Amino acid sequence: MTQKPSIPKGTRDFGAEEMARRNYIFSTIRSVFSLYGYQQIETPAMENLSTLLGKYGDEGDKLLFKILNSGDFMQGITEENLRQESSNRLATRLSEKGLRYDLTVPFARFVVQHREELTLPFRRYQIQPVWRADRPQKGRYREFYQCDADVVGSDSLLNEVELVQIIDTVFSKLGIRVCVKLNNRKILAGIAQLIGESDKMVDITVAIDKLDKIGLDGVNAELRQAGLSEKAVLKLQPIISLSGSNEEKLATMRQALTGIETGLKGLEEVTFVMQTLKPLCLKNPLELDLTLARGLNYYTGCIFEVKALDAQIGSISGGGRYDNLTGIFGLEGLSGVGISFGADRIYDVLNQLNLYPTELATATRLLFVNFGSREAAYCLPVIAKAREAGISCELYPDSSKMKKQMQYANAKRIPYVAIVGETEMQAGSLTLRDMQTGEQRLLSPEQLIDALL
Amino acid sequence: MTQKPSIPKGTRDFGAEEMARRNYIFSTIRSVFSLYGYQQIETPAMENLSTLLGKYGDEGDKLLFKILNSGDFMQGITEENLRQESSNRLATRLSEKGLRYDLTVPFARFVVQHREELTLPFRRYQIQPVWRADRPQKGRYREFYQCDADVVGSDSLLNEVELVQIIDTVFSKLGIRVCVKLNNRKILAGIAQLIGESDKMVDITVAIDKLDKIGLDGVNAELRQAGLSEKAVLKLQPIISLSGSNEEKLATMRQALTGIETGLKGLEEVTFVMQTLKPLCLKNPLELDLTLARGLNYYTGCIFEVKALDAQIGSISGGGRYDNLTGIFGLEGLSGVGISFGADRIYDVLNQLNLYPTELATATRLLFVNFGSREAAYCLPVIAKAREAGISCELYPDSSKMKKQMQYANAKRIPYVAIVGETEMQAGSLTLRDMQTGEQRLLSPEQLIDALL
């Protein structure tokens, strides 16, 4: 026998039930984006490699899926190329295209390419899969969906305010309790300046970003390894460990950063965001977290991250302000800010907490049992009318044994079954069976449709 | 200045307006599939090349987009391989994965891989992009969406009946007038037998399938080229040219195919489908077309194709019965039947005939003009309430000139604008402007929300 077919590691098939759940997540997020005036765009799965390379660091370049050129892809490649070049270099000779690695870079490319058609500020959302040649592991896939909302062409902090509202609304609608963490890259830059290590800003953010994972001692070890002076590490301690209310943290930091302009600007920005949000009564807490750094280097202002309160999982949403993302494609001076929802992690959280609405489970509401060709012919016009009324229904296509047809209804969790035999045909009626209660009623076609509306 | 970035040829970006239109098409098709009890699945963009190769003919193998292996992809490849092997052979050493070429083969793979979890008959639909390294030209893309519905595990012709109903419903809902063409591979086999050329069945179908494009003389030339005897070509003429009502064609063919069992079986099948559909009053005509052949070789029974009546374009939907699709993956004896909607061609037809509903154009219904931070702060709680009521709205994020903000509203075709200045703030109200009529009204926040519900 042929070997059972399989799919590439790190990828997934989604069956009917999983799709219903995923669609629930996507449509919830989409509806919120839309409420806030964000418009959907889509970009191709394949981008030119020149668009993607160099945007995600060396590691990212390696993780790009590259498409082998069509036709005679070896043409023009010399023996020397083959013998002497690194895999990475050679790959760019064999491939001109790669699969999308995230939605942010394609979005920046889109804005630059279509700038003449766009009205700024441009609020777009995008829900599409991305691909990364990462080592697959639990919760990490090679194909996964991102759900991004960004505004470009506006410096206003009201955009940050709205993005926090969007996060709050999405998770309220999904029933997931979260904590929204807020920080600002300018505060981090101010802190680096304060401790006299401005040139080590990246090392510092990378290290303190890991506080949750490796603890304070771990962070300090990393800071020392990065070459921070003992004095600087010492000076950083009270800041990393800062606790208290948002207001208390802000007051302490305002003191600490006195005279450091960038840092104070960052504090002012988060203060504005938090004060503007206050009268809007978010359903989830907003926390100033000075250790929040976020890995991506293009962030320049406010940054956000969302943690689920009732599930052990990494961040399920995050984002921030980037002042010059389109600069990499030659369009300077366009500021943007955005957030991204991790659909796969949200899916895991909803599963863990069993938060899906119950009516998701099935699509078909009514199955017509098939006792033979005469009975089927009798049912077909009724089925057509039921569908016209918007009721999802099926006729079992074969006149199989009753038991088999009922098993089918149960397996698909179809809540109602219509049964038509000689008696029903003579009476011009149908028997409607409620699969939950077992109750059966003899109804006219019109009554049957009314009963299910 | 940096060169303007671009996307790979044959691929497309979809902006907000195009997405609204495409979503309208997809959601119409999806809602009909769902009314008929079909359940959605999704498969990964990448499949193992072993799943894809050999399923679409030699030409198809060449048109597969192949993914360069990650890491050191040259490992194990000898100089001999490089010097002596064809591009195609070498490609399979450099690539283990390829992009999905259609939805049918991944579906067959899915059914075999998950057969233990599936309840048969399995009705699935799938709406996902596919990729082909075809030469791009007008209306032909390298990335495009397919919308497929298939049933596997049932031989019943009621499935064919329902698929025609689905076609009819989808195009009625979209407002596209179509003709649904029906034929059966068994009739074609019977005709080949009748003219004594059973072994040339494929050549015959390929040739007569082109009747629309190359005319009768062209078809005959192709038939002769394929080695058909002059007698056979002559005998085929009345069949290719057969006109009249479906009933007349059936009667003629029943005579012509007397004693040819396969052919008569095919006639019986199309007769059943047409007679069963008759009382169901389709909104579009169904035509028996004996020259309809459809290219794909896996079809074995009824075949369908849909032509738009008011637009010059190829077929916009098609499908058929295949008796052993899962056989290629080692699972024999599962019959299936399915249809596919060509979303991109449907999009072109709707554009050509201007058939989109008008309310598609915009997402945001209400823009709040921003006159400054105090005014914005005044608006934010009202905006939050409006969104809670389900009204899509935006606050213009910057306090730009009024003119610029109104231009933004016009460019995004936002139908209403709320204006708040000193007067409104003192009165606890807002001015609502209808952008179409220019009419302005002073309203309380509650009245404003009511006005837009």
Side-chain angles (χ1 to χ4, degrees), chain A residues 13 36 109 114 156 387 397-398, chain B residues 13 36 109 154 156 387 397:
Chain A
D13 283 327
Y36 281 76
R109 192 266 310 144
H114 302 281
S156 168
R387 285 179 182 141
D398 305 278
Chain B
D13 282 328
Y36 281 76
R109 192 266 311 143
S154 164
S156 168
R387 286 179 182 142

Side-chain angles (χ1 to χ4, degrees), chain B residues 252-288:
Chain B
T252 310
M253 288 308 297
R254 257 182 230 117
Q255 283 263 318
L257 293 175
T258 305
I260 298 176
E261 211 176 312
T262 316
L264 291 175
K265 180 85 176 95
L267 288 172
E268 195 187 297
E269 290 182 6
V270 298
T271 306
F272 176 86
V273 171
M274 293 198 294
Q275 283 190 346
T276 310
L277 282 167
K278 199 161 254 173
L280 301 177
C281 307
L282 297 186
K283 298 198 175 62
N284 294 286
L286 178 66
E287 185 195 323
L288 177 65

Side-chain angles (χ1 to χ4, degrees), chain A residues 365-366 368 381-391 393 430 432 443-453:
Chain A
R365 293 199 62 219
L366 176 60
F368 286 76
V382 184
I383 298 176
K385 269 191 204 130
R387 285 179 182 141
E388 247 170 66
I391 300 165
C393 44
L430 306 92
L432 178 67
L443 301 173
S444 73
E446 294 71 28
Q447 288 170 326
L448 177 111
I449 291 169
D450 283 347
L452 289 186
L453 279 180

Side-chain angles (χ1 to χ4, degrees), chain B residues 150-314:
Chain B
D150 291 79
V151 197
V152 288
S154 164
D155 297 326
S156 168
L157 289 166
L158 288 172
N159 296 303
E160 275 84 340
V161 169
E162 287 211 339
L163 289 171
V164 175
Q165 288 183 282
I166 288 180
I167 290 171
D168 185 62
T169 311
V170 164
F171 290 111
S172 307
K173 287 204 175 195
L174 292 173
I176 301 176
R177 296 195 318 129
V178 298
C179 174
V180 184
K181 300 192 170 193
L182 176 68
N183 198 9
N184 193 298
R185 278 292 176 102
K186 290 172 187 143
I187 300 178
L188 293 170
I191 292 171
Q193 192 181 332
L194 173 71
I195 63 172
E197 302 275 7
S198 279
D199 55 327
K200 299 230 164 55
M201 164 82 179
V202 172
D203 295 313
I204 298 171
T205 52
V206 168
I208 66 173
D209 204 30
K210 296 183 189 161
L211 184 64
D212 266 9
K213 283 184 204 147
I214 61 177
L216 190 56
D217 291 346
V219 171
N220 288 337
E222 272 210 19
L223 291 168
R224 284 185 196 107
Q225 189 138 23
L228 257 75
S229 72
E230 206 50 42
K231 200 179 138 203
V233 174
L234 211 68
K235 212 165 171 186
L236 200 56
Q237 298 311 298
I239 294 170
I240 304 185
S241 319
L242 196 59
S243 64
S245 70
N246 292 337
E247 284 70 21
E248 287 163 358
K249 287 181 190 169
L250 281 171
T252 310
M253 288 308 297
R254 257 182 230 117
Q255 283 263 318
L257 293 175
T258 305
I260 298 176
E261 211 176 312
T262 316
L264 291 175
K265 180 85 176 95
L267 288 172
E268 195 187 297
E269 290 182 6
V270 298
T271 306
F272 176 86
V273 171
M274 293 198 294
Q275 283 190 346
T276 310
L277 282 167
K278 199 161 254 173
L280 301 177
C281 307
L282 297 186
K283 298 198 175 62
N284 294 286
L286 178 66
E287 185 195 323
L288 177 65
D289 179 353
L290 295 166
T291 69
L292 174 66
R294 288 191 68 74
L296 293 165
N297 280 322
Y298 51 69
Y299 290 124
T300 50
C302 283
I303 45 183
F304 322 101
E305 204 159 274
V306 180
K307 299 261 180 211
L309 293 178
D310 304 315
Q312 286 291 334
I313 203 157

